[in-house]
Amino acid sequence: MPEITPTEALQITANHPALSSIAFLSPLDLALAELLKDEASASELVQLSAALTSAVLARGHVCLELDRLLADPDSLLLAAESADEASEPPSRELAPWLDGLTLACWQAALAAEPLCVGDGNTTTPLVLDGTRLYLLRNWRMERDVARGVAARLGDGIDVDTATLRARLDELFADNPQNPDWQRIAVALATRSRLQVITGGPGTGKTTTVLRLLALLQADALADPARGGLPLQIRLAAPTGKAAARLSESIAKGIARLPSDKKVKEAIPSNVSTLHRLLGAQAGTRHFRHDAQNPLAADVVVVDEASMIDLNLAAALFAALAPETRLVLLGDKDQLASVEAGAVLSELCREAQAGAYSTATLGWLQTATGQTLPGEFAGSGSPLAQQTVMLRESRRFAGDSGIGQLAQAVNANRAEDALGWLNASRDDLALLPLSPQAGELAGLVGAATDSYRAFLELLTAPPATPCWQTGDPTSSHRLTSDWAAWLKTILTRFDDFRVLCALRQGPWGVAGLNQRIAEWLADAGLLTLPPHAHNVWYAGRPVLVQANDYALRLMNGDIGITVALPDPQGNGTTLRVAFPDDSDAGVRLVMPGRLAGIETAWAMTVHKSQGSEFGHTLLVLPERSNPVLTRELLYTGITRAKTRFTLACPNPALIAETIARVTQRSSGLGVQLDRAWR
């Protein structure tokens, strides 16, 4: 087919089927196209472009890369976790609209449209920025994040390097390594209002930030200008589970700090979700804290930053006062956020190389006594000078199969990864699967044996009274024995978890949740009601799917359904127990009050981020799928603390998964480069 001219491109879809015939476009995508048609008489090509720009957001992309779409529509538009293998691929559905269209013609046609502007300073619905097409709101959020980063790096903080070196020697006396990346990270953080610290599991991200907070608080308490007032420090994580883990780690770590009592007491251990910290407004994308009402904080620390999407990142930077320090912690190699964007990954694009300037290397030598190898020298961006990658894992011993497997996957060494999986080891296993009946013995056995201890504990409640006595008009409260029992149940449930790559299909969350419940019932460990799918029963684990501020539950929280004595003495009643930061450590919710939850015998790898399990069993599907990426496999592996099992009906997919990397369309890197100029 001959090349289409820009004029012809504007009419490209005039004689083709309606956009509504494209199955992968959602009602929201089509509504946007229809709005542009009705309100602005948009051409068919602009309508199609807008609908596609909306569609890619649901796939995690911030913008529509025109060149990438023309080259490989399927990689952008296949709905990963819920992909239906029987549906038409996007490339085939788009062929009547895009055949013959070139990038240059498409750009020219869009540039000629008043609905597309290149600077984002007007209120047009679309922004064409080079080969990237945005919805206006997303273009502005990327710009605002880039500006927020640049503003926090713009004015450095004066540091007395002699005093800093003495404090670092005290804090890191137990680590004679050179280079000591934790020491380097703390030192760099003192001279800027932004610090990014990345690293894999067990590399000491929490330990590093604790020592940073100890150093900052020691300086603040010794500062006569502050009159003995400590810094106001706020700690946050994207999910409730991640917040609970960080809170526990901080509380344990404070006791081990080589600091005096006053400094330790000035370091908080209470961690909130990022949404709660920013003051999320229910039913909207808005937050109580913004540029007009910034957070009252001297230091904000956010853990598990790989889970932060573009919208949340923009809200975070907007809510920070100019003088507030921001410290971002996370593993750049993990899966990106569920929503659009891969913010931490893009902020860490120079982390592996280091790319430290001569000035930075000289400052580090003076301030820390550390000499970095020449391989880490370079001419990196201003952000690179405030980014540190921690490189030594203390969670996995040198001979750890889990650690070695994670490294092999991350380094794209498929042969080594398969070697570790096939080795006879206590901490690793490769479990073949087949959909044929009778060939699931390994999976059935793993699930039933691993969940057995948790379920047997459920049948052995304390012999003491369940409810505290007192005013009968007050809320019923658990006695300490029953609260401790429920806390143990919640902890034991994390000893094992089945993770899935997909939501649908025989090897997805939906199918396996039902099958696991049936296997457990067959083993006599559960009593299921008829038609037990999404019906309440004792022992059912549930995953919260959306933030519920009234119940103080966040997306990703997990609760366990338990049968408790009825407070009125009428047999038993079902309640859902969730971890809580109260003295009791557990909170009960009536099942009828929970909406938007799903059974959680199995969960997606995405939902597992921020969690750790003693034994993790990751199930891959039978056929290739765009969700099967190196990041997904790495994230699944690193959820395991002591044992990892990979269940796979098609072992050939393992190498393919390791070779495929996540490619989220975004222009944040370009916006950052502009911000330095």
Side-chain angles (χ1 to χ4, degrees):
M1 180 177 290
E3 181 178 308
I4 296 172
T5 67
T7 301
E8 292 170 333
L10 289 171
Q11 303 299 323
I12 186 171
T13 60
N15 298 317
H16 292 303
L19 292 182
S20 57
S21 67
I22 302 178
F24 65 79
L25 292 179
S26 71
L28 181 63
D29 306 333
L30 295 170
L32 174 61
E34 191 67 24
L35 178 66
L36 296 184
K37 175 184 176 182
D38 293 343
E39 298 294 328
S41 301
S43 69
E44 295 283 346
L45 182 57
V46 171
Q47 292 176 53
L48 173 66
S49 302
L52 293 175
T53 303
S54 174
V56 297
L57 286 176
R59 281 97 174 142
H61 306 290
V62 175
C63 57
L64 175 67
E65 289 184 289
L66 305 180
D67 50 351
R68 184 176 170 190
L69 181 81
L70 289 172
D72 186 8
D74 293 340
S75 70
L76 276 175
L77 293 166
L78 277 174
E81 287 189 2
S82 57
D84 182 355
E85 294 172 338
S87 63
E88 285 286 324
S91 55
R92 190 172 303 167
E93 290 196 85
L94 287 176
W97 283 267
L98 300 184
D99 278 353
L101 181 64
T102 65
L103 175 61
C105 289
W106 198 355
Q107 287 178 286
L110 291 174
E113 276 283 339
L115 294 174
C116 306
V117 195
D119 59 10
N121 292 319
T122 64
T123 55
T124 56
L126 301 171
V127 176
L128 180 65
D129 189 348
T131 61
R132 297 178 303 279
L133 184 65
Y134 292 84
L135 299 181
L136 175 63
R137 182 174 179 275
N138 291 330
W139 188 91
R140 286 181 171 173
M141 285 194 297
E142 271 196 351
R143 178 199 61 187
D144 292 346
V145 169
R147 288 179 176 178
V149 169
R152 313 207 79 70
L153 297 174
D155 297 321
I157 298 173
D158 290 334
V159 178
D160 183 332
T161 53
T163 301
L164 173 60
R165 183 160 179 175
R167 291 197 183 278
L168 290 172
D169 287 343
E170 293 175 2
L171 287 168
F172 291 94
D174 60 341
N175 191 356
Q177 287 181 315
N178 193 339
D180 177 359
W181 290 102
Q182 293 185 21
R183 181 192 296 243
I184 289 167
V186 170
L188 288 175
T190 64
R191 67 175 194 167
S192 174
R193 290 179 177 83
L194 176 64
Q195 181 71 15
V196 181
I197 302 173
T198 185
T203 51
K205 296 184 290 293
T206 304
T207 299
T208 302
V209 82
L210 258 176
R211 297 188 185 191
L212 169 62
L213 297 179
L215 188 152
L216 295 176
Q217 283 291 33
D219 285 346
L221 292 170
D223 184 358
R226 295 186 61 87
L229 289 176
L231 296 172
Q232 188 167 357
I233 298 170
R234 306 295 297 273
L235 308 174
T239 67
K241 189 73 173 180
R245 277 189 56 213
L246 178 61
S247 181
E248 182 180 3
S249 297
I250 292 285
K252 291 179 179 178
I254 289 174
R256 298 192 294 266
L257 279 173
S259 303
D260 62 40
K261 181 179 179 182
K262 195 172 182 180
V263 169
K264 292 180 180 180
E265 290 175 345
I267 299 175
S269 60
N270 183 45
V271 184
S272 71
T273 65
L274 191 49
H275 281 84
R276 190 172 291 153
L277 175 70
L278 298 178
Q281 304 295 297
T284 75
R285 288 179 174 266
H286 301 297
F287 296 88
R288 185 172 68 254
H289 292 292
D290 55 20
Q292 285 68 48
N293 181 31
L295 284 164
D298 297 300
V299 182
V300 173
V301 176
V302 182
D303 194 18
E304 296 289 354
S306 63
M307 301 168 68
I308 299 176
D309 58 71
L310 178 62
N311 179 70
L312 199 52
L316 173 61
F317 278 99
L320 298 177
E323 65 276 8
T324 301
R325 297 175 188 258
L326 174 64
V327 182
L328 297 176
L329 309 174
D331 186 345
K332 68 179 180 62
D333 297 315
Q334 280 190 27
L335 280 171
S337 58
V338 175
E339 302 296 330
V343 176
L344 182 67
S345 177
E346 293 189 82
L347 295 182
C348 293
R349 54 185 174 156
E350 299 168 279
Q352 182 75 43
Y356 297 116
S357 67
T358 301
T360 297
L361 294 174
W363 186 88
L364 282 171
Q365 175 68 48
T366 302
T368 70
Q370 301 277 297
T371 302
L372 291 183
E375 65 189 276
F376 298 112
S379 54
S381 68
L383 178 58
Q385 312 312 306
Q386 292 303 130
T387 301
V388 173
M389 179 176 171
L390 306 180
R391 300 164 192 266
E392 181 182 352
S393 176
R394 294 171 175 81
R395 175 168 144 191
F396 300 124
D399 62 347
S400 163
I402 298 174
Q404 294 290 342
L405 176 61
Q407 289 181 28
V409 168
N410 224 5
N412 192 22
R413 301 197 311 268
E415 187 174 340
D416 290 347
L418 288 168
W420 282 103
L421 284 168
N422 285 301
S424 298
R425 297 188 55 88
D426 292 336
D427 61 344
L428 287 178
L430 180 61
L431 181 61
L433 291 179
S434 171
Q436 278 78 36
E439 296 188 36
L440 292 174
L443 183 56
V444 175
T448 53
D449 291 346
S450 299
Y451 280 132
R452 183 181 298 276
F454 147 72
L455 289 169
E456 288 179 343
L457 182 62
L458 267 176
T459 64
T464 56
C466 177
W467 306 104
Q468 295 183 24
T469 58
D471 183 355
T473 64
S474 67
S475 300
H476 297 286
R477 296 185 178 180
L478 291 165
T479 59
S480 59
D481 287 349
W482 283 71
W485 174 67
L486 291 175
K487 282 177 61 178
T488 303
I489 287 171
L490 290 166
T491 300
R492 292 298 294 271
F493 183 62
D494 282 345
D495 287 347
F496 174 74
R497 194 63 43 83
V498 176
L499 302 183
C500 301
L502 304 180
R503 295 196 57 79
Q504 306 300 325
W507 309 118
V509 167
L512 279 176
N513 264 321
Q514 188 168 352
R515 294 164 84 180
I516 291 171
E518 292 168 354
W519 299 338
L520 295 173
D522 290 343
L525 298 173
L526 276 182
T527 300
L528 297 178
H531 312 295
H533 183 59
N534 286 335
V535 174
W536 293 101
Y537 54 86
R540 180 191 179 194
V542 294
L543 174 70
V544 177
Q545 297 283 73
N547 296 340
D548 188 327
Y549 298 98
L551 294 177
R552 293 184 292 118
L553 295 175
M554 296 290 113
N555 186 359
D557 287 351
I558 287 182
I560 304 296
T561 311
V562 293
L564 302 177
D566 184 82
Q568 308 302 329
N570 300 318
T572 61
T573 182
L574 291 180
R575 295 288 188 272
V576 184
F578 288 93
D580 191 61
D581 56 8
S582 64
D583 292 339
V586 66
R587 183 157 45 91
L588 299 177
V589 179
M590 296 183 69
R593 298 191 64 191
L594 293 171
I597 52 91
E598 67 176 21
T599 305
W601 298 113
M603 58 196 298
T604 63
V605 177
H606 259 118
K607 289 290 187 180
S608 74
Q609 287 181 269
S611 299
E612 288 181 347
F613 313 107
H615 178 192
T616 297
L617 191 157
L618 173 62
V619 182
L620 297 185
E622 188 174 7
R623 299 180 185 176
S624 181
N625 189 289
V627 78
L628 300 180
T629 63
R630 185 184 308 166
E631 293 84 355
L632 178 134
L633 184 54
Y634 170 80
T635 302
I637 293 166
T638 55
R639 298 312 90 205
K641 290 190 289 187
T642 59
R643 181 169 173 77
F644 174 76
T645 299
L646 182 64
C648 184
N650 181 4
L653 283 183
I654 298 174
E656 179 184 322
T657 297
I658 293 172
R660 182 187 289 123
V661 295
T662 300
Q663 292 181 311
R664 287 200 163 178
S665 296
S666 166
L668 182 56
V670 174
Q671 296 274 26
L672 286 168
D673 291 338
R674 290 172 182 164
W676 311 138
R677 298 198 291 267

